[in-house]
Amino acid sequence: MKKELTRQQYLDLYYYMRLNRAVEDTMVKLFRQNKIVGGLYSSLGQEAISVGTAYALEKKDWLAPMIRNIGALLVKGVPPRDVFMQHMAKYDSPTKGKDGTSHFGDLDNLHIVSPISMLGDLIPVMTGIAIGGRYLGQKIVTMTWIGDGGSSTGVFHEGLNFAAVQRAPFVLVLENNLWAYSTPVRRQVPLENLADRAKAYGISSYIVDGNDVVAVYTTAKEAVDRARAGEGPILIEAKTFRRLGHAQHDPAEYVPKEMRAYWEARDPILLYEKFLRAEKLLDDKGKKEAEEKIDTLLAKEREFAENSPMPPAEFAETGVYCTGDDCHKIRPKWERPLAEVTPPKSSVEPVWAVEGFGKGKGSGGGTAPIHFGDTTPGSDKAAGDGHAPAGAEQKTPTKKAAKAAMSSGGSRKARR
């Protein structure tokens, strides 16, 4: 870790990681008391990724979390009570008890898009929001996360290609936590670095230690700044480890004990505490104050959540579909003159001619220049290719030459 941030930024990262873990610890207690409706998914050991990447965004930017990105929601400004009530299906929850886990958003104020259960589908959605923001002149960046297993879905590749073609101001964080449920990453991808998948779409990528929150933040900040500057989408692979099972019901007995022990020793919060103490940014007093602040906050938030009523039965048939302005008043927020995106200013001169189409290898191993019929062929010869360039005159062999070729071929066959 390097000392590059302000004192407050260092302490903010520490606070949010501790809050992330404390919120999830509280929900484990609620789950065991049968107060959580549905599943409960842990980000134990991955807090540095959610917190560090979300902390790199500006208030106007948009994010879409997955089920292990509660830390990102907290950084964005979601109060812990909303997280508790959402998991408890309470009436005061963001979805009024109609959905569970982290499946809620805030389109008006916090710019949060609700998670999508089909892994990878958030990539084209956030790409679309990024393109829309650019069209409106908002200069925003969008961000979402995906796991190593989710990066093997078709929509991951379709979405990333879409983002690359459109040069969308979009950052994708790939959390390589070594396990897709019970499948180890080596059994799903023949790559050492999943960031290499960015090369197929001509976009930049980073690889970062996902348990080093400062490294995660500085990497994400650079990626966000580059995306905002118009450099297109960027992929960040954060290498980490999923220390608990897929969900509370999964004991993860398939994980080797030695692997678990290795990563437990690399706990991101413990590593960061050592760094802060070494840099004289945290002492016993400061740590105790942070713990007391979090304990006091969560006691109030949990009490509020537990006292919130369950939704009334007659409420079940309402709010299932968005019916217009009485549901969400969504209007484009223009931050650029409309004249810039309407004719004649938005008009461009159509260009049909192509100055070449790259080069390839022919079946004979030679270089094959590629061009269209309405462009001038290059002077390169497809030597050894066995194919004449496009548009070249094809000569029909004489009967004598054909007979000689057949005779030659027959001799070779006889020699074999």
Side-chain angles (χ1 to χ4, degrees), residues 175-189:
E175 298 179 272
N176 184 352
N177 62 20
L178 299 179
W179 294 91
Y181 208 126
S182 58
T183 303
V185 68
R186 294 297 185 191
R187 296 292 298 273
Q188 44 172 321
V189 182

Side-chain angles (χ1 to χ4, degrees), residues 152-170:
S152 296
T153 61
V155 73
F156 168 91
H157 297 277
E158 295 166 3
L160 205 55
N161 181 71
F162 175 45
V165 169
Q166 298 296 327
R167 294 188 63 80
F170 166 61

Side-chain angles (χ1 to χ4, degrees), residues 281-353:
L281 295 169
L282 182 70
D283 54 20
D284 290 340
K285 180 182 178 182
K287 180 179 178 180
K288 184 177 180 181
E289 289 176 350
E291 291 174 346
E292 291 177 346
K293 180 180 179 181
I294 291 173
D295 290 344
T296 301
L297 171 65
L298 294 190
K300 293 181 179 179
E301 298 291 273
R302 176 177 176 173
E303 180 181 8
F304 183 94
E306 293 200 66
N307 289 331
S308 175
M310 298 300 288
E314 59 271 18
F315 183 68
E317 66 177 2
T318 64
V320 178
Y321 300 102
C322 184
T323 54
D325 285 351
D326 60 333
C327 177
H328 291 95
K329 291 185 178 181
I330 300 176
R331 298 288 185 275
K333 298 178 181 178
W334 289 96
E335 295 187 19
R336 68 190 297 182
L338 285 176
E340 291 183 6
V341 292
T342 52
K345 284 192 175 183
S346 66
S347 300
V348 294
E349 182 180 356
V351 178
W352 303 107

Side-chain angles (χ1 to χ4, degrees), residues 4-14 55 217 221 272:
E4 300 173 346
L5 286 66
T6 66
R7 176 184 178 85
Q8 189 58 51
Q9 286 177 316
Y10 282 118
L11 295 179
D12 281 351
L13 292 174
Y14 179 68
Y55 195 74
Y217 165 73
K221 185 65 167 63
Y272 194 44

